[in-house]
Amino acid sequence: MNEENIITLNDEDGNEIKFEFLDLISYRQKDYVVMLPLEDSDGQVVILQLEEVDDETESYIGVENEFVLETVYSLFKERNKDFYEFE
């Protein structure tokens, strides 16, 4: 695992959670990050919408829309089929 691919985010309670950054997917003029939690993930990825606050700050927003989640995940799987095994 490459340390440069580790992102630390804070949850709503202020707890730090470390993720491995897997990919950045663009869909309908928005960018989504696909990440794998380093603890307690059961191999399930997390998809968050990336929003640039300013030149130095990014914000990650939970995606509620199931269709967007499924579409972004499908794009991720197609793009990374040679790198990861999917069930």
Side-chain angles (χ1 to χ4, degrees):
M1 183 180 326
N2 186 344
E3 284 295 317
E4 291 177 8
N5 288 343
I6 304 302
I7 296 173
T8 303
L9 299 178
N10 293 324
D11 67 12
E12 57 273 357
D13 298 324
N15 300 312
E16 286 190 351
I17 303 172
K18 291 186 184 277
F19 295 89
E20 180 181 2
F21 173 83
L22 300 178
D23 205 350
L24 177 70
I25 303 289
S26 293
Y27 174 68
R28 291 192 174 174
Q29 292 144 3
K30 293 182 181 176
D31 290 328
Y32 298 88
V33 291
V34 181
M35 301 184 295
L36 183 66
L38 294 182
E39 299 175 14
D40 304 326
S41 75
D42 297 333
Q44 294 200 11
V45 297
V46 172
I47 297 172
L48 299 172
Q49 183 182 331
L50 177 64
E51 188 173 89
E52 291 197 20
V53 177
D54 56 41
D55 288 345
E56 298 176 7
T57 310
E58 296 172 338
S59 178
Y60 298 90
I61 303 164
V63 179
E64 307 268 327
N65 185 315
E66 284 295 321
F67 179 78
V68 171
L69 285 172
E70 290 173 17
T71 303
V72 170
Y73 186 62
S74 293
L75 292 168
F76 168 73
K77 286 196 311 186
E78 181 60 31
R79 220 162 89 168
N80 291 281
K81 64 185 176 201
D82 295 334
F83 304 106
Y84 302 107
E85 270 187 47
F86 297 100
E87 293 181 10

Coordinates of all heavy atoms in Angstrom, one line a residue:
M1 N 0.8 -1.2 0.0 CA 0.0 0.0 0.0 C 0.9 1.2 0.0 O 1.8 1.4 0.8 CB -0.9 0.0 1.2 CG -1.8 1.1 1.3 SD -2.9 1.0 2.8 CE -3.1 -0.7 3.1
N2 N 0.6 2.2 -0.9 CA 1.4 3.4 -1.0 C 0.8 4.4 -0.1 O -0.3 4.8 -0.1 CB 1.2 3.8 -2.5 CG 2.1 5.0 -2.8 OD1 2.6 5.7 -1.9 ND2 2.3 5.3 -4.0
E3 N 1.7 4.9 0.8 CA 1.3 5.9 1.8 C 0.7 7.2 1.2 O -0.1 7.9 1.8 CB 2.5 6.3 2.7 CG 2.8 5.3 3.8 CD 1.7 5.1 4.8 OE1 1.1 6.1 5.3 OE2 1.4 4.0 5.1
E4 N 1.1 7.5 -0.1 CA 0.6 8.7 -0.7 C -0.9 8.5 -1.1 O -1.5 9.5 -1.3 CB 1.4 8.9 -2.0 CG 2.8 9.4 -1.8 CD 3.6 9.6 -3.1 OE1 3.0 9.5 -4.1 OE2 4.8 9.8 -3.0
N5 N -1.4 7.3 -1.1 CA -2.8 7.0 -1.4 C -3.7 7.0 -0.2 O -4.8 6.7 -0.3 CB -2.9 5.7 -2.2 CG -2.4 5.8 -3.6 OD1 -2.2 6.9 -4.1 ND2 -2.1 4.7 -4.2
I6 N -3.1 7.4 1.0 CA -3.9 7.3 2.2 C -4.5 8.7 2.5 O -3.8 9.7 2.4 CB -3.0 6.9 3.4 CG1 -2.4 5.5 3.1 CG2 -3.9 6.9 4.7 CD1 -3.4 4.4 2.9
I7 N -5.8 8.8 2.6 CA -6.5 10.0 2.9 C -7.1 9.8 4.3 O -7.8 8.8 4.6 CB -7.6 10.3 1.9 CG1 -7.0 10.5 0.5 CG2 -8.5 11.5 2.3 CD1 -8.0 10.6 -0.6
T8 N -7.0 10.8 5.2 CA -7.6 10.8 6.5 C -8.7 11.8 6.5 O -8.5 13.0 6.2 CB -6.6 11.1 7.6 OG1 -5.5 10.2 7.5 CG2 -7.2 11.1 9.0
L9 N -9.9 11.3 6.8 CA -11.1 12.2 6.9 C -11.7 12.1 8.3 O -11.5 11.1 9.0 CB -12.2 11.7 5.9 CG -11.8 11.8 4.4 CD1 -13.0 11.3 3.6 CD2 -11.4 13.2 4.0
N10 N -12.4 13.1 8.7 CA -13.1 13.1 10.0 C -14.6 12.8 9.8 O -15.2 13.5 8.9 CB -12.9 14.5 10.7 CG -11.5 14.7 11.1 OD1 -10.8 13.8 11.5 ND2 -11.1 15.9 11.0
D11 N -15.1 11.9 10.6 CA -16.6 11.7 10.5 C -17.3 12.7 11.3 O -16.8 13.7 11.8 CB -16.9 10.3 10.9 CG -16.7 10.0 12.4 OD1 -16.5 11.0 13.2 OD2 -16.7 8.9 12.8
E12 N -18.7 12.6 11.3 CA -19.5 13.6 11.9 C -19.2 13.8 13.4 O -19.5 14.8 14.0 CB -21.0 13.4 11.7 CG -21.5 12.0 12.2 CD -21.3 10.9 11.1 OE1 -20.9 11.2 10.0 OE2 -21.6 9.8 11.5
D13 N -18.6 12.8 14.0 CA -18.2 12.8 15.5 C -16.8 13.3 15.7 O -16.3 13.4 16.8 CB -18.4 11.5 16.1 CG -19.9 11.0 16.1 OD1 -20.8 11.8 16.2 OD2 -20.1 9.8 15.9
G14 N -16.1 13.7 14.6 CA -14.7 14.1 14.7 C -13.7 13.0 14.8 O -12.5 13.3 15.0
N15 N -14.1 11.8 14.6 CA -13.2 10.7 14.6 C -12.4 10.6 13.3 O -13.0 10.8 12.2 CB -13.9 9.3 14.8 CG -14.6 9.3 16.1 OD1 -14.1 9.7 17.2 ND2 -15.9 8.9 16.1
E16 N -11.1 10.4 13.3 CA -10.3 10.2 12.1 C -10.5 8.8 11.5 O -10.4 7.8 12.2 CB -8.9 10.5 12.4 CG -8.5 11.9 12.6 CD -7.0 12.2 12.6 OE1 -6.2 11.3 12.6 OE2 -6.7 13.4 12.6
I17 N -10.8 8.8 10.2 CA -10.9 7.5 9.5 C -9.9 7.6 8.3 O -9.9 8.5 7.6 CB -12.3 7.3 9.0 CG1 -13.3 7.4 10.2 CG2 -12.4 6.0 8.3 CD1 -14.8 7.3 9.8
K18 N -9.1 6.5 8.2 CA -8.2 6.5 7.1 C -8.7 5.6 6.0 O -9.3 4.6 6.2 CB -6.8 5.9 7.6 CG -6.1 6.8 8.6 CD -4.7 6.2 8.9 CE -4.0 7.0 9.9 NZ -3.4 8.2 9.4
F19 N -8.5 6.1 4.8 CA -9.0 5.5 3.6 C -7.8 5.3 2.6 O -6.9 6.2 2.6 CB -10.0 6.3 2.8 CG -11.3 6.5 3.6 CD1 -11.5 7.5 4.5 CD2 -12.4 5.6 3.4 CE1 -12.7 7.7 5.2 CE2 -13.6 5.8 4.1 CZ -13.7 6.8 5.0
E20 N -7.9 4.3 1.8 CA -7.0 4.2 0.7 C -7.7 4.7 -0.6 O -8.8 4.3 -0.9 CB -6.6 2.7 0.4 CG -5.6 2.6 -0.8 CD -5.2 1.2 -1.1 OE1 -5.7 0.2 -0.4 OE2 -4.4 1.0 -2.0
F21 N -7.1 5.7 -1.2 CA -7.7 6.3 -2.4 C -7.5 5.3 -3.5 O -6.4 4.9 -3.8 CB -7.0 7.7 -2.7 CG -7.4 8.2 -4.0 CD1 -8.6 9.0 -4.1 CD2 -6.6 8.0 -5.2 CE1 -8.9 9.5 -5.3 CE2 -7.0 8.6 -6.4 CZ -8.2 9.3 -6.5
L22 N -8.6 5.0 -4.2 CA -8.5 4.0 -5.3 C -8.6 4.7 -6.7 O -7.9 4.3 -7.6 CB -9.6 3.0 -5.2 CG -9.6 2.1 -3.9 CD1 -10.7 1.2 -3.8 CD2 -8.3 1.4 -3.7
D23 N -9.5 5.7 -6.8 CA -9.7 6.3 -8.1 C -10.6 7.5 -8.0 O -11.3 7.8 -7.0 CB -10.4 5.3 -9.0 CG -10.2 5.6 -10.5 OD1 -9.6 6.6 -10.8 OD2 -10.5 4.7 -11.4
L24 N -10.5 8.4 -9.0 CA -11.3 9.6 -9.2 C -12.1 9.4 -10.4 O -11.6 9.2 -11.5 CB -10.4 10.8 -9.3 CG -11.2 12.1 -9.5 CD1 -11.9 12.5 -8.2 CD2 -10.2 13.2 -9.8
I25 N -13.4 9.4 -10.3 CA -14.3 9.1 -11.4 C -15.2 10.4 -11.7 O -15.7 11.0 -10.8 CB -15.3 8.0 -11.1 CG1 -14.6 6.7 -10.7 CG2 -16.3 7.7 -12.2 CD1 -13.9 6.0 -11.8
S26 N -15.2 10.8 -12.9 CA -16.0 12.0 -13.3 C -17.3 11.4 -13.9 O -17.3 10.5 -14.8 CB -15.3 12.8 -14.4 OG -14.2 13.4 -13.8
Y27 N -18.4 12.0 -13.4 CA -19.7 11.6 -13.9 C -20.7 12.8 -13.9 O -20.8 13.4 -12.8 CB -20.3 10.4 -13.1 CG -21.7 10.1 -13.4 CD1 -22.0 9.5 -14.7 CD2 -22.7 10.3 -12.5 CE1 -23.3 9.1 -15.0 CE2 -24.0 9.9 -12.8 CZ -24.3 9.3 -14.1 OH -25.6 9.0 -14.4
R28 N -21.3 13.1 -15.0 CA -22.2 14.3 -15.1 C -21.6 15.6 -14.5 O -22.2 16.2 -13.7 CB -23.5 14.0 -14.5 CG -24.3 12.9 -15.2 CD -25.7 12.8 -14.7 NE -26.5 11.9 -15.5 CZ -27.7 11.6 -15.3 NH1 -28.3 12.0 -14.3 NH2 -28.3 10.7 -16.1
Q29 N -20.4 15.9 -15.0 CA -19.6 17.1 -14.6 C -19.3 17.2 -13.1 O -19.1 18.3 -12.6 CB -20.3 18.3 -15.1 CG -20.3 18.4 -16.6 CD -21.6 18.9 -17.2 OE1 -22.5 19.3 -16.6 NE2 -21.6 18.9 -18.6
K30 N -19.4 16.1 -12.4 CA -19.0 16.1 -11.0 C -17.9 15.0 -10.8 O -17.9 14.0 -11.6 CB -20.2 15.8 -10.1 CG -21.2 16.9 -10.1 CD -22.4 16.6 -9.2 CE -23.4 17.7 -9.3 NZ -24.6 17.5 -8.5
D31 N -17.1 15.2 -9.8 CA -16.0 14.2 -9.5 C -16.4 13.5 -8.3 O -16.8 14.0 -7.3 CB -14.7 15.0 -9.4 CG -14.1 15.5 -10.7 OD1 -14.4 14.9 -11.7 OD2 -13.5 16.6 -10.6
Y32 N -16.1 12.2 -8.3 CA -16.3 11.3 -7.2 C -15.1 10.5 -6.9 O -14.4 10.1 -7.8 CB -17.4 10.3 -7.5 CG -18.8 11.0 -7.8 CD1 -19.1 11.4 -9.1 CD2 -19.7 11.2 -6.8 CE1 -20.3 12.0 -9.4 CE2 -20.9 11.9 -7.1 CZ -21.2 12.3 -8.4 OH -22.4 12.9 -8.6
V33 N -14.8 10.4 -5.6 CA -13.6 9.6 -5.2 C -14.1 8.2 -4.7 O -15.2 8.1 -4.1 CB -12.8 10.3 -4.0 CG1 -12.1 11.5 -4.5 CG2 -13.7 10.6 -2.8
V34 N -13.4 7.2 -5.1 CA -13.7 5.9 -4.7 C -12.5 5.5 -3.7 O -11.4 5.5 -4.1 CB -13.7 4.9 -5.9 CG1 -14.0 3.5 -5.4 CG2 -14.7 5.4 -6.9
M35 N -12.9 5.1 -2.5 CA -11.9 4.9 -1.5 C -12.3 3.6 -0.7 O -13.5 3.2 -0.6 CB -11.8 6.0 -0.5 CG -11.5 7.3 -1.1 SD -11.3 8.7 0.0 CE -12.9 8.9 0.7
L36 N -11.3 3.0 -0.1 CA -11.5 1.8 0.7 C -11.1 2.1 2.1 O -9.9 2.5 2.4 CB -10.6 0.6 0.1 CG -10.8 -0.7 0.8 CD1 -12.1 -1.3 0.6 CD2 -9.7 -1.7 0.3
P37 N -12.0 2.0 3.1 CA -11.7 2.2 4.5 C -10.6 1.2 4.9 O -10.7 0.0 4.5 CB -12.9 2.0 5.3 CG -14.0 2.1 4.2 CD -13.4 1.6 2.9
L38 N -9.6 1.7 5.6 CA -8.5 0.8 6.0 C -8.9 -0.1 7.2 O -8.3 -1.1 7.5 CB -7.3 1.6 6.4 CG -6.6 2.3 5.2 CD1 -5.4 3.1 5.6 CD2 -6.3 1.4 4.1
E39 N -10.0 0.2 7.9 CA -10.5 -0.6 9.0 C -11.9 -0.9 8.8 O -12.7 -0.1 8.3 CB -10.3 0.1 10.4 CG -8.8 0.4 10.7 CD -8.7 1.2 11.9 OE1 -9.7 1.4 12.7 OE2 -7.6 1.8 12.2
D40 N -12.4 -2.1 9.2 CA -13.8 -2.5 9.2 C -14.5 -2.2 7.9 O -15.6 -1.7 7.8 CB -14.5 -1.7 10.3 CG -13.9 -1.9 11.7 OD1 -13.4 -3.0 11.9 OD2 -13.9 -0.9 12.5
S41 N -13.9 -2.6 6.8 CA -14.5 -2.3 5.5 C -15.2 -3.4 4.9 O -16.1 -3.2 4.0 CB -13.4 -1.8 4.5 OG -12.7 -2.9 4.0
D42 N -14.9 -4.7 5.2 CA -15.5 -5.8 4.6 C -15.3 -5.8 3.1 O -16.0 -6.4 2.3 CB -17.0 -6.0 4.9 CG -17.3 -6.2 6.4 OD1 -16.4 -6.7 7.1 OD2 -18.4 -5.8 6.8
G43 N -14.3 -5.1 2.6 CA -14.0 -5.0 1.2 C -14.9 -4.1 0.5 O -14.8 -4.0 -0.8
Q44 N -15.8 -3.3 1.2 CA -16.7 -2.4 0.5 C -16.1 -1.0 0.4 O -15.5 -0.5 1.3 CB -18.0 -2.4 1.2 CG -18.7 -3.7 1.2 CD -20.2 -3.5 1.5 OE1 -20.7 -2.4 1.5 NE2 -20.9 -4.6 1.7
V45 N -16.2 -0.5 -0.8 CA -15.6 0.8 -1.1 C -16.6 1.9 -0.6 O -17.8 1.7 -0.5 CB -15.3 1.1 -2.6 CG1 -14.2 0.1 -3.0 CG2 -16.5 1.0 -3.5
V46 N -16.1 3.1 -0.5 CA -16.9 4.3 -0.1 C -16.8 5.2 -1.3 O -15.7 5.5 -1.8 CB -16.4 5.0 1.1 CG1 -17.1 6.3 1.4 CG2 -16.6 4.0 2.3
I47 N -17.9 5.8 -1.8 CA -17.9 6.7 -2.9 C -18.4 8.1 -2.3 O -19.5 8.1 -1.8 CB -18.8 6.3 -4.0 CG1 -18.2 5.0 -4.6 CG2 -18.9 7.3 -5.1 CD1 -19.1 4.3 -5.6
L48 N -17.6 9.1 -2.5 CA -18.0 10.4 -2.0 C -17.8 11.4 -3.2 O -16.9 11.3 -4.0 CB -17.1 10.9 -0.9 CG -17.1 10.0 0.4 CD1 -16.1 10.5 1.4 CD2 -18.5 10.1 1.0
Q49 N -18.7 12.4 -3.2 CA -18.5 13.5 -4.2 C -17.5 14.5 -3.7 O -17.4 14.9 -2.6 CB -19.9 14.2 -4.4 CG -19.8 15.3 -5.4 CD -21.1 16.0 -5.6 OE1 -22.2 15.5 -5.3 NE2 -21.0 17.3 -6.0
L50 N -16.6 14.8 -4.6 CA -15.5 15.8 -4.4 C -16.0 17.2 -4.7 O -16.5 17.4 -5.8 CB -14.3 15.4 -5.2 CG -13.1 16.3 -5.1 CD1 -12.5 16.3 -3.7 CD2 -12.0 15.8 -6.0
E51 N -15.8 18.1 -3.8 CA -16.2 19.5 -4.1 C -15.0 20.3 -3.7 O -14.5 20.3 -2.5 CB -17.4 19.8 -3.3 CG -18.0 21.2 -3.6 CD -19.3 21.4 -2.9 OE1 -19.3 21.9 -1.8 OE2 -20.3 21.1 -3.5
E52 N -14.5 21.2 -4.6 CA -13.4 22.1 -4.3 C -14.0 23.3 -3.6 O -14.8 24.0 -4.2 CB -12.6 22.4 -5.5 CG -11.9 21.2 -6.1 CD -10.8 21.6 -7.0 OE1 -10.4 22.7 -7.1 OE2 -10.4 20.7 -7.8
V53 N -13.5 23.6 -2.4 CA -14.0 24.8 -1.7 C -13.2 26.0 -2.2 O -13.7 27.0 -2.5 CB -13.8 24.6 -0.2 CG1 -14.1 25.8 0.6 CG2 -14.6 23.4 0.3
D54 N -11.9 25.8 -2.3 CA -11.0 26.8 -2.9 C -9.8 26.1 -3.4 O -9.8 24.9 -3.5 CB -10.6 27.9 -1.9 CG -10.0 27.4 -0.6 OD1 -9.1 26.5 -0.7 OD2 -10.3 27.8 0.5
D55 N -8.7 26.8 -3.8 CA -7.6 26.2 -4.5 C -6.9 25.2 -3.6 O -6.2 24.3 -4.1 CB -6.6 27.3 -4.9 CG -7.1 28.1 -6.1 OD1 -8.0 27.6 -6.7 OD2 -6.5 29.2 -6.4
E56 N -7.0 25.3 -2.3 CA -6.2 24.5 -1.4 C -7.1 23.5 -0.6 O -6.6 22.6 0.1 CB -5.4 25.3 -0.4 CG -4.4 26.1 -1.1 CD -3.6 27.1 -0.1 OE1 -3.8 26.9 1.1 OE2 -2.8 27.9 -0.6
T57 N -8.4 23.7 -0.6 CA -9.3 22.9 0.2 C -10.4 22.1 -0.6 O -11.0 22.7 -1.5 CB -10.1 23.9 1.2 OG1 -9.2 24.7 1.9 CG2 -10.9 23.1 2.3
E58 N -10.5 20.9 -0.2 CA -11.5 20.0 -0.8 C -12.5 19.5 0.3 O -12.1 19.4 1.4 CB -10.9 18.8 -1.5 CG -9.9 19.1 -2.6 CD -9.2 17.9 -3.1 OE1 -9.0 16.9 -2.3 OE2 -8.7 17.9 -4.2
S59 N -13.7 19.3 -0.2 CA -14.7 18.8 0.7 C -15.3 17.5 0.1 O -15.3 17.4 -1.1 CB -15.8 19.8 0.9 OG -16.9 19.3 1.7
Y60 N -15.6 16.5 1.0 CA -16.2 15.3 0.5 C -17.6 15.1 1.0 O -17.8 15.3 2.2 CB -15.3 14.1 1.0 CG -13.9 14.1 0.5 CD1 -12.9 14.8 1.2 CD2 -13.6 13.5 -0.7 CE1 -11.6 14.9 0.7 CE2 -12.3 13.6 -1.2 CZ -11.3 14.3 -0.5 OH -10.0 14.3 -0.9
I61 N -18.5 14.9 0.1 CA -19.9 14.8 0.4 C -20.5 13.4 0.2 O -20.2 12.9 -0.9 CB -20.7 15.9 -0.5 CG1 -20.1 17.3 -0.3 CG2 -22.2 15.9 -0.2 CD1 -20.5 18.2 -1.3
G62 N -21.2 12.9 1.1 CA -21.9 11.6 0.9 C -22.9 11.7 -0.2 O -23.5 12.7 -0.4
V63 N -23.0 10.6 -1.0 CA -23.9 10.5 -2.1 C -25.1 9.7 -1.7 O -25.0 8.6 -1.3 CB -23.2 9.8 -3.3 CG1 -24.1 9.8 -4.5 CG2 -21.9 10.6 -3.7
E64 N -26.3 10.4 -1.8 CA -27.5 9.7 -1.4 C -28.2 9.0 -2.5 O -28.9 8.1 -2.3 CB -28.5 10.8 -0.8 CG -27.9 11.7 0.3 CD -28.2 11.1 1.6 OE1 -29.2 10.5 1.8 OE2 -27.3 11.3 2.5
N65 N -28.0 9.5 -3.8 CA -28.6 8.9 -4.9 C -28.1 7.6 -5.3 O -26.9 7.4 -5.7 CB -28.5 9.9 -6.1 CG -29.2 9.6 -7.3 OD1 -29.3 8.4 -7.7 ND2 -29.9 10.6 -7.9
E66 N -28.9 6.5 -5.2 CA -28.5 5.2 -5.4 C -28.1 5.0 -6.9 O -27.1 4.3 -7.2 CB -29.6 4.2 -5.1 CG -29.8 3.9 -3.7 CD -28.6 3.2 -3.0 OE1 -28.0 2.3 -3.7 OE2 -28.3 3.6 -1.9
F67 N -28.8 5.6 -7.8 CA -28.4 5.5 -9.2 C -27.0 6.1 -9.5 O -26.2 5.4 -10.2 CB -29.5 6.2 -10.1 CG -29.1 6.2 -11.6 CD1 -29.4 5.0 -12.3 CD2 -28.5 7.2 -12.2 CE1 -29.1 4.9 -13.7 CE2 -28.2 7.2 -13.6 CZ -28.5 6.0 -14.3
V68 N -26.7 7.2 -8.9 CA -25.4 7.8 -9.1 C -24.3 6.9 -8.5 O -23.3 6.6 -9.1 CB -25.3 9.2 -8.5 CG1 -23.9 9.7 -8.4 CG2 -26.2 10.2 -9.2
L69 N -24.6 6.4 -7.3 CA -23.6 5.4 -6.7 C -23.4 4.2 -7.5 O -22.2 3.8 -7.7 CB -24.2 5.0 -5.3 CG -24.1 6.0 -4.1 CD1 -24.8 5.5 -2.9 CD2 -22.6 6.3 -3.8
E70 N -24.4 3.6 -8.0 CA -24.3 2.4 -8.9 C -23.5 2.7 -10.2 O -22.7 2.0 -10.6 CB -25.7 1.8 -9.2 CG -26.3 1.2 -7.9 CD -27.7 0.7 -8.2 OE1 -28.1 0.5 -9.3 OE2 -28.4 0.5 -7.2
T71 N -23.9 3.9 -10.8 CA -23.2 4.3 -12.0 C -21.7 4.5 -11.8 O -20.9 4.1 -12.6 CB -23.9 5.5 -12.6 OG1 -25.3 5.2 -12.8 CG2 -23.3 5.9 -13.9
V72 N -21.4 5.3 -10.8 CA -20.0 5.6 -10.5 C -19.2 4.3 -10.2 O -18.1 4.1 -10.7 CB -19.9 6.6 -9.3 CG1 -18.4 6.8 -8.9 CG2 -20.4 8.0 -9.8
Y73 N -19.9 3.4 -9.4 CA -19.2 2.1 -9.1 C -19.0 1.3 -10.3 O -17.9 0.7 -10.5 CB -20.0 1.4 -8.0 CG -19.3 0.1 -7.6 CD1 -18.1 0.2 -6.9 CD2 -19.9 -1.1 -7.8 CE1 -17.4 -1.0 -6.5 CE2 -19.2 -2.3 -7.4 CZ -18.0 -2.2 -6.7 OH -17.3 -3.3 -6.3
S74 N -20.0 1.3 -11.2 CA -19.8 0.6 -12.5 C -18.7 1.1 -13.3 O -17.9 0.4 -13.9 CB -21.1 0.6 -13.3 OG -22.1 -0.1 -12.7
L75 N -18.6 2.4 -13.4 CA -17.5 3.1 -14.1 C -16.1 2.7 -13.5 O -15.2 2.4 -14.2 CB -17.7 4.6 -14.2 CG -18.9 5.1 -15.0 CD1 -19.1 6.6 -14.7 CD2 -18.6 4.9 -16.4
F76 N -16.1 2.7 -12.2 CA -14.9 2.4 -11.4 C -14.5 0.9 -11.8 O -13.3 0.6 -12.1 CB -15.1 2.5 -9.9 CG -14.0 1.9 -9.1 CD1 -12.8 2.5 -9.0 CD2 -14.3 0.8 -8.4 CE1 -11.8 1.9 -8.2 CE2 -13.3 0.2 -7.6 CZ -12.1 0.7 -7.5
K77 N -15.5 0.0 -11.7 CA -15.2 -1.4 -12.0 C -14.6 -1.6 -13.4 O -13.7 -2.3 -13.6 CB -16.4 -2.3 -11.8 CG -16.8 -2.5 -10.3 CD -17.7 -3.6 -10.1 CE -18.9 -3.6 -11.0 NZ -19.9 -4.6 -10.6
E78 N -15.3 -0.9 -14.4 CA -14.9 -1.1 -15.8 C -13.4 -0.6 -15.9 O -12.6 -1.2 -16.6 CB -15.8 -0.3 -16.7 CG -15.5 -0.4 -18.1 CD -15.5 -1.9 -18.7 OE1 -16.2 -2.7 -18.2 OE2 -14.7 -2.1 -19.6
R79 N -13.2 0.6 -15.3 CA -11.8 1.2 -15.5 C -10.7 0.4 -14.8 O -9.6 0.5 -15.2 CB -11.9 2.6 -14.9 CG -11.2 3.6 -15.8 CD -11.6 5.0 -15.5 NE -10.8 5.6 -14.4 CZ -10.8 6.8 -14.2 NH1 -11.6 7.7 -14.8 NH2 -10.0 7.3 -13.2
N80 N -11.1 -0.3 -13.7 CA -10.1 -1.0 -12.9 C -10.2 -2.5 -12.9 O -9.6 -3.1 -12.0 CB -10.2 -0.4 -11.5 CG -9.8 1.0 -11.3 OD1 -8.7 1.3 -11.3 ND2 -10.8 1.9 -11.3
K81 N -10.8 -3.0 -13.9 CA -11.0 -4.5 -14.0 C -9.7 -5.2 -14.0 O -9.6 -6.4 -13.6 CB -12.0 -4.9 -15.1 CG -11.4 -4.5 -16.5 CD -12.5 -4.8 -17.5 CE -11.9 -4.4 -18.9 NZ -13.0 -4.2 -19.8
D82 N -8.7 -4.6 -14.5 CA -7.4 -5.3 -14.7 C -6.5 -5.2 -13.4 O -5.5 -5.8 -13.2 CB -6.5 -4.7 -15.8 CG -7.2 -5.0 -17.2 OD1 -8.0 -6.0 -17.3 OD2 -7.0 -4.2 -18.1
F83 N -7.0 -4.3 -12.4 CA -6.2 -4.1 -11.2 C -6.8 -4.7 -10.0 O -6.1 -5.0 -9.0 CB -6.1 -2.6 -11.0 CG -5.5 -1.9 -12.1 CD1 -6.2 -1.1 -12.9 CD2 -4.1 -2.0 -12.4 CE1 -5.7 -0.4 -14.0 CE2 -3.5 -1.3 -13.5 CZ -4.3 -0.5 -14.3
Y84 N -8.1 -4.9 -9.9 CA -8.8 -5.4 -8.8 C -9.7 -6.6 -9.2 O -10.2 -6.7 -10.3 CB -9.7 -4.3 -8.1 CG -9.0 -3.1 -7.7 CD1 -9.1 -1.9 -8.4 CD2 -8.1 -3.1 -6.6 CE1 -8.4 -0.8 -8.0 CE2 -7.4 -2.0 -6.2 CZ -7.6 -0.8 -6.9 OH -6.9 0.3 -6.6
E85 N -10.0 -7.5 -8.2 CA -11.0 -8.5 -8.4 C -12.3 -8.1 -7.8 O -12.4 -7.7 -6.6 CB -10.5 -9.8 -7.7 CG -9.7 -10.7 -8.5 CD -9.4 -12.0 -7.9 OE1 -10.4 -12.6 -7.3 OE2 -8.3 -12.4 -7.9
F86 N -13.4 -8.1 -8.5 CA -14.7 -7.7 -8.1 C -15.6 -9.0 -7.9 O -15.5 -9.9 -8.7 CB -15.3 -6.7 -9.0 CG -14.6 -5.5 -9.2 CD1 -13.7 -5.2 -10.2 CD2 -14.7 -4.5 -8.2 CE1 -13.0 -4.1 -10.4 CE2 -13.9 -3.3 -8.3 CZ -13.1 -3.1 -9.4
E87 N -16.4 -8.9 -6.9 CA -17.4 -10.0 -6.7 C -18.7 -9.7 -7.3 O -19.1 -8.6 -7.5 CB -17.6 -10.3 -5.2 CG -16.4 -10.8 -4.5 CD -16.6 -11.0 -3.0 OE1 -17.8 -11.0 -2.6 OE2 -15.6 -11.3 -2.3

